[in-house]
Amino acid sequence: MTDDKKATEDVDSAGAHALLRAEHHIIRLTFWQTILSVAGVLIAVVALYAALTESAAVRQQTAAAVWPFVQLMLEDYDTGDAAGFSLAFTNAGVGPAKMKDVRISIDGTVARNWSELVARVDGDTESTINRNFISDRVIRPDETVVVFSTNNANLARKLVGAVSRPRGALTFCYCSIFDECWLADSGNNLQAPELVEACPDFGSDTYIN
């Protein structure tokens, strides 16, 4: 083997080793870059999850701070010589309640106003009564709205038996200021109204005082 050929082989061998070292260096660099990229993605995902979780918690706390809870109140008295009856709604929650439609039925027949309600119980439509509107109004926390009341003994006694279960059925819906809505039905547990996406439209069956 000549000196020139040996020198050429030495040069080729040195070049091959240098290229191999460079390739190993590039592989190591690419490996760590991949690790750092994956770590960056994981950190971003964790940060996003934490932000979403915190945002959801804040929304829940805010919603709880303005949570309304509307209760139906049926009150009556009968001393023998006198009797009275009232139907009212009170907001026992901590936020305002946006009342939507209310539906009242007796023996399966809807009463759309006071006159129809009195007619359902064979009462005197000329009886002295107090009444107020309830649909499409806002009830403040701790506020009570008396929808109707009477001190006419005969009418009061008839209403007590007709409006209460099982003859009477009253359904109402209300929403918070964040448009979270609850549907309550006297045929079910009024202390656990159903959370709904939106209040139903009772249309012509809506009670209008």
Side-chain angles (χ1 to χ4, degrees), residues 89 100-105 110-111 135 169-173 183-186 200-202 205-207:
F89 292 93
K100 301 298 182 180
D101 289 355
V102 174
R103 181 175 59 196
I104 300 175
S105 64
V110 173
S135 297
L170 196 149
T171 306
F172 61 95
C173 192
L183 180 65
D185 190 332
S186 62
D201 182 1
F202 295 146
D205 287 345
T206 300
Y207 181 83

Side-chain angles (χ1 to χ4, degrees), residues 34-170:
T34 302
I35 293 296
L36 291 175
S37 297
V38 172
V41 171
L42 291 177
I43 292 173
V45 170
V46 171
L48 178 60
Y49 174 78
L52 292 176
T53 302
E54 182 179 0
S55 177
V58 170
R59 285 197 302 271
Q60 291 177 350
Q61 291 175 354
T62 304
V66 294
W67 171 71
F69 184 62
V70 177
Q71 294 178 310
L72 172 65
M73 300 177 63
L74 299 177
E75 297 183 348
D76 67 277
Y77 68 90
D78 192 340
T79 64
D81 295 329
F85 175 82
S86 68
L87 184 150
F89 292 93
T90 186
N91 184 3
V94 295
K98 298 189 295 183
M99 291 295 298
K100 301 298 182 180
D101 289 355
V102 174
R103 181 175 59 196
I104 300 175
S105 64
I106 297 175
D107 297 327
T109 302
V110 173
R112 299 173 181 83
N113 51 55
W114 174 255
S115 297
E116 290 186 5
L117 182 63
V118 174
R120 296 284 182 271
V121 299
D122 297 324
D124 183 4
T125 56
E126 300 301 322
S127 301
T128 301
I129 54 97
N130 298 306
R131 53 184 176 172
N132 202 344
F133 77 97
I134 187 63
S135 297
D136 296 322
R137 74 178 296 162
V138 175
I139 304 180
R140 300 187 307 272
D142 296 325
E143 180 184 9
T144 297
V145 177
V146 178
V147 180
F148 56 78
S149 64
T150 181
N151 291 322
N152 181 289
N154 183 51
L155 178 58
R157 292 185 181 107
K158 290 182 176 180
L159 286 171
V160 169
V163 175
S164 304
R165 296 176 61 186
R167 293 184 62 193
L170 196 149

